Amino acid sequence: MGVYEQLGVKKLINAWGTVTRVGGSKMAPEVLRAMCEAAQAYVDIDELLRKAGERIAELIGVEAAFITSGAAAGLAVATAACMAGTDPVKVARLPDTSDMKDEVIILKCHRFRYDQAVRLTGARLIEVGLADRTLPEELEAAISERTAAVIYLAEAEHVRGSLPLIKVVEIAKRYDVLVIVDAAAELPPVDNLRRYLDTGADLVLFSGGKDIRGPQSSGLILGKKSLIEACAANSCPNHSIGRPMKVDKETIVGLLKAVELYVQKDFVHETQRWEEIVQYFVVEFRDIDGVKVWRGFPTEPGIQPACIPRAYIEIGETRLGISIGEIQARLREGDPGIVVGTFDKGLVLNPQMLEEGEEKPIVSRLKEIFADSMRRCGY
Ligand SMILES: *Cc1c(COP(=O)(O)O)cnc(C)c1O
């Protein structure tokens, strides 16, 4: 019996995406082997962090990199780095920010659920603009001698009322203010690993456990050497705000291996695989009464990565007599359960984390659910 069976925890087929709540992503066997080997010896963690960071920076082609326990931890660590730098007194004082710059500016339309990770360092978020409009002058006016950084949410770049990153960088640079970009789920394309730094951001965060498929509790901070050193000062194993966000030797080695694989990955082939799965869904549901299916891409912010094709299934609720929530619940009931994304009118099937053959049970279970409800409706 497997570890999950022993506990009575049901496995899930993941047509939702790299969602933490369902386990994020799976690691490649090479990553698991590297982690297993790493678990079998003691090493100096500072040295391992430094050398693994250097190797990752080299692989990606950026100045420096630091490994965290996730992009959310990266938000806290990067914010602490911008406030306390490497000053041991300040590092130890956080979240008490006396004698430090402690304001972090955020566009109102970029406020997001993870910004609590910025606030837990003691930083105060200063919102600029309106929910659907930001003027460059508003950003400029919010900058003061108390400003530690601007936090920019990559996925919100194109929401209504946002300012382009390049504009935010230009204004911030004029006042020597640092720009942190949360790009946790902005992969693929792999070029994004460099893109935000190339645009002029100072620190950029990625999840290690999303498309990179490293350990779920891993993440990357990329940026300039001096700032990456400040991130290290504010992280485990140092006693600092980042100490509770520990990364272990297995995670460090596992993420490095995952990045090695990621920068060599054949994305043309991967994209083709995604397209084939989506096409299969489209063909299978095309002639089902009461539903409409098409290939599409997410348009609303917060559904990342936006470049992966999905199958959208619009549910004619009145005709089918079943709600989106009920369909989701029924998909979860089976064993293995099935998790899918949703949009306002139906289901979104995301091929990103699906493995060979997993698309079949999704189709048969959905068809069963649709047929049941049609029958109940008396068609
Ligand atoms: C997923 C995500 C995070 C959190 O990343 P973890 O690696 O799970 O900590 C933070 N910000 C954004 C925008 C995300 O999508």
Side-chain angles (χ1 to χ4, degrees):
M1 231 204 260
V3 286
Y4 295 127
E5 286 82 358
Q6 275 175 30
L7 285 169
V9 172
K10 199 163 62 178
K11 289 183 189 166
L12 301 170
I13 291 176
N14 178 9
W16 190 1
T18 55
V19 181
T20 298
R21 217 170 266 283
V22 295
S25 61
K26 286 192 201 167
M27 292 180 268
E30 294 93 320
V31 174
L32 292 169
R33 271 199 298 276
M35 292 177 78
C36 204
E37 187 186 331
Q40 293 169 40
Y42 297 102
V43 290
D44 183 282
I45 294 295
D46 274 321
E47 183 191 10
L48 177 63
L49 269 172
R50 195 180 66 252
K51 290 191 172 156
E54 284 168 6
R55 177 87 183 104
I56 286 175
E58 198 182 305
L59 284 165
I60 295 175
V62 294
E63 196 177 308
F66 188 73
I67 297 171
T68 63
S69 61
L75 282 168
V77 167
T79 304
C82 292
M83 292 193 295
T86 54
D87 178 339
V89 176
K90 290 181 176 171
V91 168
R93 191 182 293 149
L94 290 178
D96 170 354
T97 60
S98 358
D99 304 329
M100 287 178 236
K101 298 178 175 194
D102 65 352
E103 293 184 355
V104 174
I105 295 174
I106 188 166
L107 308 195
K108 192 177 177 74
C109 60
H110 282 220
R111 285 299 305 268
F112 64 130
R113 278 172 285 187
Y114 294 100
D115 66 35
Q116 190 170 26
V118 173
R119 291 182 278 124
L120 76 79
T121 60
R124 289 183 309 125
L125 283 176
I126 305 295
E127 284 184 11
V128 300
L130 305 174
D132 60 355
R133 191 224 62 198
T134 320
L135 300 175
E137 302 77 41
E138 289 172 316
L139 172 57
E140 208 163 335
I143 295 174
S144 73
E145 64 283 3
R146 296 220 56 85
T147 308
V150 177
I151 174 80
Y152 192 92
L153 180 62
E155 68 189 43
E157 175 147 29
H158 300 294
V159 300
R160 198 149 76 95
S162 177
L163 292 174
L165 177 60
I166 193 152
K167 186 77 197 165
V168 169
V169 164
E170 179 205 306
I171 294 169
K173 293 282 112 116
R174 221 182 293 148
Y175 296 91
D176 269 334
V177 166
L178 299 167
V179 177
I180 303 169
V181 174
D182 180 351
E186 301 302 313
L187 296 169
V190 66
D191 297 346
N192 276 0
L193 285 168
R194 275 198 307 266
R195 186 178 123 206
Y196 307 100
L197 288 175
D198 290 346
T199 306
D202 296 285
L203 289 170
V204 182
L205 323 172
F206 290 95
S207 287
K210 291 180 180 167
D211 205 55
I212 295 176
R213 300 186 194 218
Q216 245 301 279
S217 324
S218 73
L220 280 175
I221 306 180
L222 307 177
K224 287 197 192 68
K225 212 170 206 135
S226 59
L227 278 170
I228 292 297
E229 271 162 26
C231 290
N234 287 279
S235 288
C236 186
N238 298 319
H239 290 282
S240 62
I241 205 88
R243 175 60 183 79
M245 305 160 204
K246 179 194 280 190
V247 274
D248 48 65
K249 55 196 181 301
E250 298 81 6
T251 299
I252 297 167
V253 167
L255 181 59
L256 168 57
K257 179 54 81 178
V259 171
E260 266 175 39
L261 298 174
Y262 198 68
V263 296
Q264 294 166 14
K265 194 162 163 176
D266 180 354
F267 283 95
V268 175
H269 179 262
E270 183 82 341
T271 306
Q272 209 175 327
R273 192 181 75 87
W274 289 330
E275 291 288 3
E276 281 165 14
I277 297 174
V278 169
Q279 185 57 25
Y280 170 75
F281 287 138
V282 170
V283 169
E284 287 294 323
F285 292 110
R286 206 162 41 189
D287 301 322
I288 306 275
D289 243 7
V291 310
K292 210 162 84 185
V293 63
W294 66 91
R295 166 187 174 276
F297 294 88
T299 49
E300 59 279 56
I303 315 274
Q304 296 306 113
C307 65
I308 295 178
R310 274 97 157 154
Y312 284 76
I313 305 181
E314 184 178 323
I315 311 295
E317 221 169 273
T318 45
R319 187 152 162 71
L320 276 178
I322 187 167
S323 69
I324 298 165
E326 284 163 343
I327 297 172
Q328 278 184 297
R330 284 209 47 196
L331 283 171
R332 274 231 186 202
E333 270 167 20
D335 193 1
I338 294 171
V339 288
V340 300
T342 58
F343 70 118
D344 57 344
K345 292 182 176 148
L347 310 176
V348 185
L349 306 181
N350 179 357
Q352 185 183 10
M353 289 294 131
L354 285 179
E355 284 175 24
E356 187 76 37
E358 286 186 328
E359 63 280 8
K360 300 228 160 58
I362 298 175
V363 165
S364 56
R365 293 266 291 285
L366 266 177
K367 281 186 174 172
E368 223 174 87
I369 295 168
F370 293 152
D372 276 359
S373 42
M374 289 299 269
R375 217 172 300 124
R376 246 184 296 123
C377 287
Y379 288 108

